[in-house]
């Protein structure tokens, strides 16, 4: 059967270590029933522990694996890395002195570039032969270098030297593999030179993270200005964010046809297993993507919390084979209520009044109570509930995200929390902490124990 989109899949993002073995096998096996053929796995977070299971299950399911890596974080780990290579603020101070998910490089530091190239070589040499696709990302953040020389460049041009290094090393050391890069925060603009993208990069992932999911991508959103996370340099901010993304997507597909695919953050980590019910917009946009010559569509997905998204994925993955279904789509009463609330700019992050079924309704009420006016008792109630119903939710991330929120708002006192739990909450991203757990220990169990400590002791 011919498919409109040649590649159709899931991107597990940084969630891998939050899965146990059974969850991971269930997740991959389901992909075959959904007629998906491609899975993006993050090397940085869980690959070393789970690669044999991933190989076994994806080969049984007929699913190709793309191994995605945060270049600065992982390539420099092969070297005697130096924070002097990292991106800086305008005042000259470092954004971070750690190699983590959000670490970005200075684009003109010669020693950093050379070390990046050497680490890239070593990483490519270690990629197993059965992996046919490799993808390098910059970092999951916006901390691009603002040193005197870098600040003269767009974010895309700041990152371009590292794309050039990755492409050159991959084509030299592993010419049999297809290579990918992404278009993401601040880098929606085309770089000044697109030669590498045109001649060496095989696929380009366009991440729609900042879109308004309650309106189709080619229609006006609820937002008439752009957040700083989206733009670089002298780009105007008084632009609708959906129309901006659509215009940039069209520029990329016109400049480099036949290589761009879409990544939609449907299960977005911070949603805490809450489905925003945006099937109408996402299916409508498949018709748009088809008209632009997009090669494929991927959705963020993982097993913890998948239960609440299963109907959406059943529908959307069927539309990947037959986008015309979107023309006759009839939204449910629940979806209509949520969409109307969103379009009226009401607070719809959590909407218990639209649902009757448990345990979702109680979870939504707990979330709304806590995130509207956080305190330790509400945090405890929220977390105890997701752990008591963990087969339906993502309890480890819920704990980390919610506890950090309470600390940021100054509404929760961590004084009685253990030093180890405080250490975990000090990380910008949960996955950076979990990857640091010794390989002889179960990262899920370690994180769970610390979560229970937070539930018992946060005041």
């Amino acid at each position: 059967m011919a498919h409109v989109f040649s590649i159709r899949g899931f991107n597990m993002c940084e969630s891998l270590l939050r899965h146990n073995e059974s969850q991971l096998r269930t997740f991959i096996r389901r992909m075959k029933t959904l007629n998906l053929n491609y899975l993006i796995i993050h090397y940085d977070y869980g690959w070393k522990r789970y690669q044999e299971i991933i190989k076994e299950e994806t080969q049984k399911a007929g699913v190709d694996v793309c191994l995605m890596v945060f270049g600065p974080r992982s390539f420099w780990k092969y070297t005697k890395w130096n924070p002097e290579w990292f991106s800086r603020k305008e005042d000259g101070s470092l954004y971070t002195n750690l190699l983590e998910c959000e670490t970005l490089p200075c684009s003109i530091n010669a020693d950093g570039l050379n070390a990046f190239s050497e680490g890239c070589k070593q990483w490519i040499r270690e990629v197993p032969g059965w992996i046919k696709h490799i993808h390098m990302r910059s970092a999951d953040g916006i901390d691009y270098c603002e040193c005197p020389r870098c600040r003269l460049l767009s974010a895309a041009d700041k990152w371009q030297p590292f794309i050039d290094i990755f492409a050159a090393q991959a084509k030299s050391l592993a010419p049999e593999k297809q290579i990918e890069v992404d278009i993401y925060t601040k880098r929606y603009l085309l770089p000044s030179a697109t030669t590498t993208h045109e001649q060496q990069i095989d696929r380009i992932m366009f991440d729609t993270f900042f879109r308004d999911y309650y309106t189709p991508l080619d229609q006006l959103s609820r937002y008439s200005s752009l957040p700083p996370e989206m733009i670089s340099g002298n780009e105007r901010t008084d632009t609708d964010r959906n129309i901006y993304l659509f215009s940039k997507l069209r520029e990329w597909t016109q400049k480099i046809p036949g290589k761009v695919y879409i990544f939609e953050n449907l299960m977005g980590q911070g949603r805490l297993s809450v489905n925003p019910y945006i099937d109408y917009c996402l299916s409508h946009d498949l018709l748009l993507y088809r008209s632009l010559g997009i090669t494929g569509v991927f959705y963020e997905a993982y097993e913890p919390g998948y239960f609440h998204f299963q109907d959406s994925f059943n529908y959307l993955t069927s539309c990947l084979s037959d986008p015309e279904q979107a023309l006759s789509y009839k939204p449910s009463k629940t979806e209509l209520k949520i969409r109307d609330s969103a379009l009226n700019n009401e607070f719809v992050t959590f909407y218990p009044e639209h649902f009757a079924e448990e345990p979702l309704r109680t979870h939504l009420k707990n979330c709304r109570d806590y995130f509207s006016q956080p305190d330790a008792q509400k945090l405890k109630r929220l977390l105890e509930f997701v752990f008591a119903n963990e087969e339906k939710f993502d309890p480890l991330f819920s704990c980390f995200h919610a506890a950090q929120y309470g600390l940021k708002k100054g509404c929760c006192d961590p004084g009685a929390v253990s030093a180890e739990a405080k250490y975990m909450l000090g990380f910008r991203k949960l996955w950076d902490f979990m990857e640091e757990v010794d390989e002889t220990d179960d990262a899920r169990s370690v994180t769970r124990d610390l979560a229970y400590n937070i539930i018992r002791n946060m005041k």
Side-chain angles (χ1 to χ4, degrees):
M1 175 183 176
H3 290 279
V4 174
F5 300 105
S6 61
I7 52 174
R8 310 168 304 281
F10 284 146
N11 179 356
M12 299 187 79
C13 290
E14 305 90 354
S15 70
L16 195 58
L17 281 175
R18 300 204 302 277
H19 292 73
N20 60 33
E21 179 179 325
S22 175
Q23 288 175 318
L24 183 56
R25 291 185 187 277
T26 296
F27 182 84
I28 297 173
R29 290 173 185 178
R30 186 191 294 112
M31 291 183 68
K32 185 173 184 177
T33 68
L34 295 175
N35 204 17
L36 300 177
N37 63 356
Y38 206 79
L39 177 64
I40 296 175
I41 294 288
H42 278 237
Y43 165 84
D44 308 75
Y45 303 113
W47 168 254
K48 294 175 184 176
R49 296 176 187 255
Y50 283 138
Q51 61 179 299
E52 292 306 317
I53 293 174
I54 293 168
K55 178 182 180 181
E56 175 191 347
E57 293 294 345
T58 55
Q59 290 184 347
K60 287 179 181 177
V63 171
D64 286 335
V65 172
C66 175
L67 193 58
M68 179 181 281
V69 61
F70 285 113
R73 179 198 176 279
S74 290
F75 293 172
W76 276 337
K77 281 184 178 287
Y78 287 92
T79 72
K80 293 182 178 179
W81 56 274
N82 187 334
E84 291 299 312
W85 308 339
F86 298 1
S87 62
R88 295 181 179 275
K89 304 175 186 178
E90 278 199 53
D91 64 8
S93 63
L94 294 171
Y95 288 101
T96 180
N97 61 359
L98 302 173
L99 279 179
E100 55 187 3
C101 184
E102 296 196 21
T103 302
L104 278 160
C106 172
S107 62
I108 53 88
N109 187 296
D111 290 339
L113 286 162
N114 290 334
F116 187 93
S117 180
E118 182 56 36
C120 180
K121 286 182 189 177
Q122 294 189 50
W123 183 81
I124 290 170
R125 288 182 179 129
E126 291 185 9
V127 175
W130 65 274
I131 295 288
K132 304 303 181 186
H133 310 270
I134 52 177
H135 182 133
M136 185 190 69
R137 295 198 71 177
S138 54
D140 190 21
I142 61 171
D143 297 340
Y144 286 92
C145 191
E146 295 296 329
C147 75
R149 290 174 63 185
C150 284
R151 75 180 62 157
L152 302 176
L153 305 172
S154 71
D157 286 343
K158 291 174 188 178
W159 180 237
Q160 191 60 43
F162 303 92
I163 292 179
D164 295 340
I165 289 170
F166 170 66
Q169 297 292 10
K171 291 304 181 184
S172 172
L173 298 172
E176 75 284 359
K177 297 188 189 300
Q178 289 202 322
I179 63 174
E180 303 182 358
V181 294
D182 70 325
I183 306 163
Y184 189 37
T185 53
K186 290 186 175 288
R187 292 185 286 105
Y188 292 107
L189 280 174
L190 286 162
S192 299
T194 57
T195 304
T196 300
H197 287 84
E198 293 178 75
Q199 298 182 1
Q200 295 181 285
I201 302 300
D202 297 293
R203 289 174 178 165
I204 302 168
M205 183 179 84
F206 192 98
D207 190 326
T208 65
F209 181 80
F210 296 101
R211 65 169 296 167
D212 180 356
Y213 281 104
Y214 287 101
T215 53
L217 195 63
D218 59 345
Q219 298 178 19
L220 289 174
S221 75
R222 296 170 294 165
Y223 308 99
S224 58
S225 62
L226 302 177
E229 293 85 358
M230 289 182 69
I231 57 176
S232 176
N234 296 319
E235 289 188 273
R236 294 178 57 172
T237 60
D238 58 340
T239 304
D240 180 271
R241 67 175 63 181
N242 275 17
I243 301 303
Y244 173 83
L245 283 173
F246 175 61
S247 69
K248 297 309 171 190
L249 176 60
R250 185 166 50 192
E251 288 174 11
W252 277 94
T253 56
Q254 290 175 346
K255 180 67 175 178
I256 310 173
K259 291 188 177 183
V260 178
Y261 69 88
I262 297 294
F263 172 46
E264 305 274 23
N265 294 261
L266 177 52
M267 272 186 76
Q269 315 261 1
R271 292 199 179 104
L272 304 190
S273 309
V274 177
N275 189 338
Y277 282 88
I278 49 180
D279 299 354
Y280 165 76
C281 291
L282 292 185
S283 59
H284 169 93
D285 285 346
L286 294 179
L287 297 167
L288 172 68
Y289 299 152
R290 181 180 64 178
S291 71
L292 292 174
I294 296 297
T295 63
V297 180
F298 289 71
Y299 300 104
E300 179 175 0
Y302 37 87
E303 196 60 26
Y306 187 92
F307 172 82
H308 302 290
F309 292 80
Q310 59 186 351
D311 291 342
S312 292
F313 282 129
N314 289 341
Y315 170 66
L316 291 170
T317 54
S318 71
C319 287
L320 289 176
S321 299
D322 180 16
E324 297 294 324
Q325 292 180 72
L327 298 174
S328 58
Y329 179 75
K330 290 184 171 34
S332 67
K333 291 182 180 179
T334 297
E335 184 174 349
L336 286 172
K337 288 179 181 177
I338 294 167
R339 192 199 312 171
D340 289 344
S341 297
L343 294 177
N344 289 326
N345 292 309
E346 294 178 14
F347 178 66
V348 293
T349 306
F350 305 103
Y351 25 79
E353 64 272 16
H354 296 325
F355 294 87
E357 65 271 21
E358 294 291 352
L360 183 58
R361 184 177 177 85
T362 296
H363 174 61
L364 291 167
K365 185 177 186 306
N366 290 340
C367 286
R368 175 170 280 191
D369 288 348
Y370 175 70
F371 286 102
S372 60
Q373 290 184 307
D375 63 40
Q377 283 302 113
K378 293 174 185 175
L379 175 65
K380 180 178 181 179
R381 184 164 63 246
L382 167 62
L383 299 182
E384 285 182 339
F385 189 80
V386 293
F387 274 104
N389 296 273
E390 62 179 297
E391 75 283 356
K392 301 287 179 64
F393 299 109
D394 187 354
L396 299 183
F397 185 80
S398 296
C399 177
F400 181 82
H401 179 74
Q404 279 200 334
Y405 184 84
L407 295 177
K408 181 179 179 180
K409 294 295 184 179
C411 301
C412 295
D413 178 5
V417 172
S418 71
E420 294 81 2
K422 290 176 184 175
Y423 177 72
M424 178 182 75
L425 292 175
F427 279 76
R428 289 202 279 187
K429 300 293 177 70
L430 175 61
W431 33 91
D432 279 314
F433 167 78
M434 294 186 74
E435 183 69 12
E436 188 180 275
V437 174
D438 192 279
E439 288 187 41
T440 60
D441 294 324
D442 182 339
R444 292 179 73 255
S445 295
V446 170
T447 307
R448 176 187 294 273
D449 289 345
L450 297 179
Y452 286 151
N453 183 274
I454 291 168
I455 292 171
R456 289 192 302 269
N457 297 302
M458 191 78 82
K459 304 295 184 185

